[in-house]
C-alpha cells in the first residue's frame, strides 16, 4: 500500500473507529460527580508550585481532569510579560509547608470528597516523578484581570487521568507572573 494513498487513510479511519471509546470521555450528569479544586489569591513568584491536586492511595477513585483555568489580577501596568506554567502529573506529592486550598462540589448532592483527595499551594518541596503534560501561559495586559483556560478536555476527547497515588501540579517557570494568581482544576470522579 502506497504511503498517503486514499486506501491507507481509509484503513486508518476504520481502525480508529473500531477502538471502543473510554467510559470516562464524556461527563454523564446522572452518574458523574464534578468538583472544582481551587487556590485563590496566591502571591506570585518564580519557580513556584501554584496548585497541587493530590489523589492519595486509598482514595477509592480516579480523578478525570476536565478543565484547568485561572486568573491573573495585576494592579500595575504589565506590558509584554507572558509567564509560563508547566502542567504535570506526579507520583509523589510535595508535602512540606503546604497551604491547603479548597474543593467544592458543583452539585450540593455530590458525595463528600474523601480526605485522601486534597489540594494545596506553596509547598516548599516539589512533587517528584513528573510527567509534563504541557506548558501554558497567561497574558495580562495592563491592569485588567485575565482569566484563561490552560487545558480543557475536547468534546469526545480523553481527560487527564489522575489515578490513586498520583497528582496534578501547575508550576511557574523562571519568569514570575505579576499580580495575584487564582487557579482552578475541574474534575469528576
Amino acid at each position: 500500500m502506497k504511503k498517503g494513498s486514499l486506501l491507507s487513510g481509509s484503513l486508518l479511519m476504520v481502525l480508529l473507529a473500531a477502538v471502543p471509546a473510554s467510559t470516562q470521555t464524556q461527563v454523564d450528569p446522572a452518574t458523574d460527580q464534578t468538583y472544582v479544586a481551587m487556590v485563590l489569591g496566591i502571591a506570585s513568584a518564580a519557580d513556584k508550585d501554584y496548585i497541587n491536586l493530590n489523589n492519595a492511595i486509598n482514595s477509592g477513585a480516579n480523578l478525570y481532569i476536565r478543565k484547568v483555568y485561572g486568573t491573573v489580577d495585576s494592579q500595575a501596568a504589565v506590558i509584554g510579560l507572558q509567564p509560563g506554567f508547566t502542567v504535570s502529573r506526579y507520583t509523589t506529592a510535595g508535602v512540606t509547608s503546604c497551604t491547603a486550598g479548597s474543593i467544592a462540589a458543583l452539585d450540593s448532592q455530590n458525595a463528600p470528597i474523601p480526605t485522601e483527595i486534597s489540594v494545596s499551594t506553596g509547598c516548599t518541596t516539589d512533587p517528584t516523578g513528573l510527567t509534563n503534560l504541557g506548558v501554558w501561559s497567561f497574558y495580562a495586559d495592563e491592569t485588567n484581570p485575565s482569566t484563561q483556560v490552560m487545558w480543557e478536555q475536547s468534546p469526545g476527547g480523553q481527560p487527564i487521568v489522575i489515578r490513586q497515588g498520583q497528582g496534578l501540579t501547575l508550576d511557574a517557570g523562571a519568569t514570575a507572573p505579576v499580580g495575584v494568581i487564582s487557579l482552578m482544576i475541574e474534575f469528576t470522579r
Side-chain angles (χ1 to χ4, degrees):
M1 181 174 358
K2 191 168 75 171
K3 183 178 179 182
S5 71
L6 179 59
L7 181 56
S8 64
S10 299
L11 180 59
L12 177 62
M13 234 187 296
V14 169
L15 289 174
L16 290 174
V19 176
S22 165
T23 58
Q24 274 294 333
T25 58
Q26 298 297 314
V27 177
D28 180 356
T31 58
D32 293 337
Q33 299 181 1
T34 304
Y35 302 84
V36 177
M38 62 192 101
V39 294
L40 306 174
I42 305 303
S44 61
D47 195 29
K48 178 178 184 174
D49 290 331
Y50 276 89
I51 187 170
N52 295 311
L53 176 60
N54 191 44
N55 185 17
I57 298 291
N58 298 324
S59 71
N62 290 330
L63 307 182
Y64 302 93
I65 309 302
R66 305 299 179 177
K67 186 189 291 187
V68 178
Y69 54 104
T71 65
V72 175
D73 185 6
S74 57
Q75 298 301 314
V78 179
I79 299 171
L81 177 65
Q82 194 164 358
F85 291 87
T86 301
V87 178
S88 305
R89 182 176 25 244
Y90 60 81
T91 56
T92 304
V95 294
T96 307
S97 301
C98 302
T99 302
S102 61
I103 299 176
L106 294 186
D107 182 341
S108 61
Q109 298 299 307
N110 286 0
I113 288 288
T115 57
E116 293 85 4
I117 298 172
S118 62
V119 63
S120 61
T121 186
C123 300
T124 56
T125 56
D126 291 334
T128 59
L130 297 173
T131 301
N132 292 333
L133 301 174
V135 177
W136 289 270
S137 61
F138 278 111
Y139 183 74
D141 187 23
E142 298 301 327
T143 58
N144 298 321
S146 173
T147 300
Q148 296 178 2
V149 173
M150 292 183 228
W151 185 87
E152 185 169 20
Q153 178 188 355
S154 60
Q158 182 175 0
I160 297 171
V161 179
I162 305 300
R163 301 188 183 284
Q164 294 180 65
Q166 297 180 337
L168 188 76
T169 186
L170 274 74
D171 180 35
T175 303
V178 174
V180 177
I181 311 290
S182 295
L183 294 167
M184 288 72 65
I185 300 173
E186 184 178 303
F187 66 94
T188 58
R189 64 181 188 108

